[in-house]
Amino acid sequence: MVEGSMTQGAGQGPEVERTATLRDFRVPAYVHEAGPYVHSAHPGEVAPPPEETYPEGYTPTERDLPVINRGDTVQVTVDPEAAAAPQADTGQGPLYVVGDVHGYLDELVAALQEKGLLDAAGNWCAGTARLWFLGDFTDRGPDGIGVIDLVMRLSAEAAAAGGYCKALMGNHELLLLGAKRFGDTPVNSGAGTATFQAAWLLNGGQKTDMDRLQDHHLQWMARLDAVEEVDGHLLVHSDTTAYLDYGRSIEEVNDTVRETLTRNDADEVWDLFRKFTKRFSFRDEGGADAVRTLLDTYGGTRIVHGHSPIPYLLGEVGSEDDEDNSDPVVEGPHVYADGLAIAMDGGVTMAGKLLVQQLPLGT
């Protein structure tokens, strides 16, 4: 997502300070300059909740994540084994999910190897295991195209071994698609003129990624699903209820997203991107009800998402521009919203951790 946009639930209450110009993540210093590319060794009918609102003049290119006090997040103690849905014996391998990668290819390979999914050479070695990526493969980090190449390769290798490797659509996939397709074409942002190219650069777009972006990468991204349900886990990229705008079933949402991209209308794609940048819908008062609405609509007993870094959900980080900020400590996924939501973005772009987690929790 453009990790700087605001959503329902964020910034509520008198203890929350909002800084309109707060930077959310690292943005490349060069912006318009090409930097050297280092080749990696691994290539690559339920009532809807209240409508989420935006501040006046909102645009996804305004990075305005709030500084959140720790007490602003509702903490819930959950016994993972008690909360996990029982798994049927289907003969399938274990299920794993991966949080936001954002171009950090080496960290991804190391995390997958640590879980026993890749061998020392970076090849699939997990047999019938099932692996889901929650989206946001590019931007901010050094090798987004290398990440996509790896995921595409692992999809073939896992399938050949009787498992699978699949991926969801993140807001940064929409952003990269839009920047490539529409460039500097003005779009109706709801707050004046905006362009995909400007939003992409502002939110960590890497020139080396754009230079290496090929047709097969674009086709792969455009075909990604937005929502899936696996073993009682509802998998999405963004912690938002905006998926409800696109359908009342998983199939309908995924079809609508793909049809929107196929029509290739800049304003339509921008609106899709804008809605996928919403965040924090499951946090604070009413967050558990928002999760229940999605689960009642699409199925599952728990929602698993990326998009909003765990340090922000916990209020442990204010701004990367603050020199006195210490690196966030992320040990694993964050369970919240009455135990109904699992956050998987460990904040790798802010020196956090790239998370790979077996589900259900506790296994």
Side-chain angles (χ1 to χ4, degrees):
M1 135 188 168
V2 174
E3 287 88 347
S5 35
M6 296 308 305
T7 71
Q8 173 190 19
Q12 293 180 354
E15 296 181 358
V16 179
E17 174 187 353
R18 181 186 299 278
T19 304
T21 58
L22 196 62
R23 291 169 60 103
D24 55 335
F25 295 100
R26 298 189 182 112
V27 176
Y30 56 79
V31 177
H32 295 294
E33 300 175 357
Y37 167 61
V38 179
H39 291 279
S40 169
H42 305 285
E45 169 110 60
V46 177
E51 182 177 355
E52 297 176 282
T53 59
Y54 294 100
E56 183 177 356
Y58 164 85
T59 172
T61 60
E62 290 180 355
R63 292 161 295 165
D64 59 347
L65 277 173
V67 178
I68 309 164
N69 295 327
R70 181 59 178 263
D72 191 51
T73 298
V74 177
Q75 299 296 312
V76 178
T77 301
V78 177
D79 180 350
E81 294 185 2
Q87 282 187 294
D89 184 8
T90 62
Q92 296 178 311
L95 173 65
Y96 293 84
V97 290
V98 184
D100 298 33
V101 181
H102 284 299
Y104 284 85
L105 177 61
D106 292 340
E107 288 81 354
L108 172 61
V109 170
L112 293 173
Q113 288 173 333
E114 182 181 354
K115 293 294 184 180
L117 299 170
L118 301 188
D119 62 20
N123 299 313
W124 181 265
C125 66
T128 59
R130 297 165 294 156
L131 180 63
W132 274 96
F133 285 82
L134 299 179
D136 276 9
F137 303 101
T138 67
D139 303 337
R140 310 195 191 291
D143 195 3
I145 298 302
V147 170
I148 292 176
D149 284 337
L150 174 64
V151 176
M152 294 175 70
R153 175 169 63 83
L154 293 180
S155 297
E157 293 178 359
Y164 67 68
C165 172
K166 299 182 181 182
L168 293 181
M169 172 81 71
N171 57 292
H172 278 266
E173 282 68 69
L174 291 169
L175 183 58
L176 183 57
L177 282 166
K180 180 66 173 181
R181 290 182 179 184
F182 307 117
D184 288 323
T185 301
V187 294
N188 180 14
S189 71
T193 301
T195 71
F196 272 105
Q197 178 74 5
W200 175 71
L201 289 171
L202 184 61
N203 289 280
Q206 304 289 305
K207 189 177 186 300
T208 51
D209 282 346
M210 187 64 78
D211 289 344
R212 293 181 294 136
L213 186 61
Q214 300 180 39
D215 285 345
H216 67 275
H217 298 127
L218 295 168
Q219 293 168 5
W220 180 81
M221 288 190 291
R223 293 170 181 166
L224 294 175
D225 286 336
V227 186
E228 280 295 343
E229 188 270 326
V230 186
D231 294 351
H233 297 90
L234 185 64
L235 308 181
V236 297
H237 173 69
S238 303
D239 46 326
T240 178
T241 58
Y243 296 96
L244 296 167
D245 294 345
Y246 293 94
R248 307 300 292 181
S249 69
I250 289 175
E251 182 179 12
E252 186 179 0
V253 172
N254 292 333
D255 287 346
T256 302
V257 169
R258 274 191 287 270
E259 289 165 3
T260 299
L261 292 172
T262 300
R263 284 193 293 272
N264 210 35
D265 179 272
D267 287 329
E268 273 194 294
V269 177
W270 178 268
D271 188 60
L272 177 63
F273 158 67
R274 177 182 66 85
K275 288 179 178 178
F276 272 43
T277 65
K278 294 181 178 183
R279 62 163 90 242
F280 299 149
S281 292
F282 313 148
R283 210 192 54 171
D284 310 322
E285 185 178 359
D289 289 337
V291 176
R292 290 187 183 96
T293 297
L294 289 172
L295 295 176
D296 289 344
T297 303
Y298 301 126
T301 57
R302 259 184 173 176
I303 196 164
V304 184
H305 70 85
H307 190 48
S308 290
I310 292 170
Y312 281 108
L313 286 169
L314 294 176
E316 293 175 345
V317 174
S319 167
E320 282 194 319
D321 293 339
D322 296 341
E323 295 182 359
D324 59 347
N325 268 351
S326 59
D327 290 341
V329 178
V330 176
E331 299 296 339
H334 174 50
V335 180
Y336 67 116
D338 291 354
L340 296 174
I342 304 173
M344 280 293 301
D345 184 348
V348 65
T349 63
M350 57 177 72
K353 185 177 183 179
L354 200 159
L355 296 179
V356 179
Q357 178 64 45
Q358 185 175 353
L359 296 178
L361 295 181
T363 56

